[in-house]
Amino acid sequence: MPDAPIANRTRGMGEIVEVAGKQTELAPFGRTLAELGHERPEIVGLTADMGRYSDILPFRDAHPDRFFNVGMAEQNLMMVAAGLSKVGKIAFCTTYSVFITRRAYDFVAIACAHSKANVKIFAGMPGLVNGYGATHQATEDLNMMRGIADLAVIDPCDATELKQVVRAAADIPGTVYVRNLRGKVPVELGDDYRFTFGKGQVLRAGDGRVGIIATGYMSARALEACRSTAAEGHDPSVLHLSTIKPFDAAAVLSFARDHQRLIVAENHKTTGGLTTLVIEALYEAGLHRPMTRIGLADSFFECGSQEYLEAKYGVDLPAFESAIRQDGAGAGGPT
Amino acid sequence: MTTSPATAAPSNHPPGAPDLDELRRRAFALRRKMMGMAAGKGEGYIAQGLAMADCLAALYFHEMRHDSARPDWPDRDRFLLSTGHYSIAMYAVLAEAGYMDEALLPSYGLNGSALPMSTFDETVGVEIVGGSLGHGLGQAVGMAMGLRMDGSPARAFCEFSDGELQEGSTWEAAMGAATFRCDNLVALIDCNGIQADGPVTVAIEPVADKMAAFGWDTTEVDGNDMGALVAALAGARAADGRPKAIVMRTTPGHGVPTIVARERAHFVRIADDEWDALIAELEAGNA
């Protein structure tokens, strides 16, 4: 049987799936950075020919004298950002995740992180948030970036968190890598949510049977799956770990102890990223829980719409629902 | 002792008429320090260090605006050593200029030393982590842009080598410097003709023509001729919207004929019992 047909209209590059009727916010990264630029004159904005597709243009329009497009030169993007930071600037720079990680890795590590340079990398189109195939899909970026010492790595959940991360990044010492979400970014978390660098947060406390540990917008999808399976009697908890490095192993252990079974979800390969970090934390603590992985295989992925790719590679809503239902524990609800 | 105001320029700035004899004496002092640091270590980047002595003397004792009493002075000129493995020359000039205690120099390259074989920016007076080649020029571009934004009179001076012209990142940075009109940036390109595996093999010449084609105001000099270096640096002060490049033809081991003549001068090997004679060669040449 053939795969599901590709939609006959292509979606804007790198916008994450809009769910009908879901609240969204336009360009939360660039709009927040533009605001922050008014408060912090030392902030500069940079892009490597990806201004339009990284949402940084609101900053350019508000602060044209502090915005630079270095062209398609990602190594130079990181060097110029490092140089600006070494004379007192805070350099926010943007391009796609793949070009930062695969192409400019040495420059992130040595020119930026090793010098603890105030460079804040907002890397677009992480994971499968892209229809351009493997060349544009950063499916191992968390693995690569967490391998660099003195580099903070953050994967925000939604527009609410992303806006807070923009502000927090300016104050986190040294180099920060953030998986940026662009376009109309869904709003999942409430106004009472507070991003805390380096800390996991329980977004939903369930009945203790199933615990979902997730990062990035997979945490939003986990919450959605909790809602869609609630009528069947399922009541999972959700631990959101937006900070991948430094990793909050204590939160993982505490959460795992309180649950019979775990689901770990990331918009990334299931090797080298969140899943690996969770396994390391549990193993070192001598704690074992049955675990289901939701994430990408160790592969290169094809072109296609995000819905098509997410369904084909098992990171869509039905994948979460299926993982929650796996042990049939929902039947009849908790007793 | 009174402390000078934080914004005041050091007494040597702006530079007046150069005292070439004094600068040559400084260059000799740098070479003498380097020979002492390298002696007994068996091998090292002494040849490149000796070749850079004239350029560093001209920068630190004439052209650059800096003050060793204020290494964090915001308006200091920045010197970026992209070839971190030339650290022996960097430490020599930092000691000669008063940034570090000369007593540290013998520890150069030893395990646990504050003076590692390649430069790291933890060392006072070192602006970047050098050594992963192709990292210097782009950072100098960023510094030049940032200094200009702040209205600072400071400039960025970036040393890099002919070997680094094989790194694509150097050319990305070269385009960027012209695009952003970094006339407060001076590239000092050490063309010594050698790289790790021997003579430079990739067709990088004509270096000066290439830099000019990339939009740089370019001069080519004998990098071991103090008068020519000082004149080229004076010619690189124009605020005309163009980045400045000085292509320096240098001789690895300059000042010590035996090292100049030694094969495989990139990472020269010298036996423990040779050093006294080599130092005598250096001193004889300065007499």
Side-chain angles (χ1 to χ4, degrees), chain A residues 41 43-44 46 65-70 72-84 86-89 103 106-108 110-112 114-116, chain B residues 76 78 120-122 127-130 132-150 168-170 172-173 176-177 179-180:
Chain A
I43 287 178
V44 295
L46 298 164
D65 296 341
R66 288 149 57 188
F67 175 80
F68 306 98
N69 183 349
V70 304
M72 285 182 270
E74 293 78 14
Q75 299 175 119
N76 200 38
L77 175 72
M78 301 318 302
M79 289 192 287
V80 169
L84 283 161
K86 290 171 190 181
V87 294
K89 307 300 178 190
R103 191 179 293 248
D106 189 33
F107 299 82
V108 175
I110 301 300
C112 298
H114 197 299
S115 293
K116 299 180 174 62
Chain B
R76 71 189 182 281
R78 270 63 169 182
F120 292 87
D121 52 9
E122 289 92 346
E127 303 283 359
I128 61 165
V129 178
S132 179
L133 299 179
H135 279 231
L137 188 59
Q139 294 190 70
V141 172
M143 288 184 187
M145 291 162 67
L147 292 167
R148 184 178 57 197
M149 287 170 73
D150 290 342
S169 58
T170 300
E172 290 184 12
T179 301
F180 297 115

Side-chain angles (χ1 to χ4, degrees), chain B residues 43 94 163 183 186 193 205 208 255 272:
Chain B
E43 54 190 17
L94 290 176
D183 54 16
V186 181
E205 298 291 348
D272 288 354

Side-chain angles (χ1 to χ4, degrees), chain B residues 234-254:
Chain B
R237 293 175 196 156
D240 58 0
R242 301 168 73 198
K244 311 299 188 295
I246 301 175
V247 178
M248 306 185 300
R249 301 291 169 181
T250 61
T251 304
H254 186 87

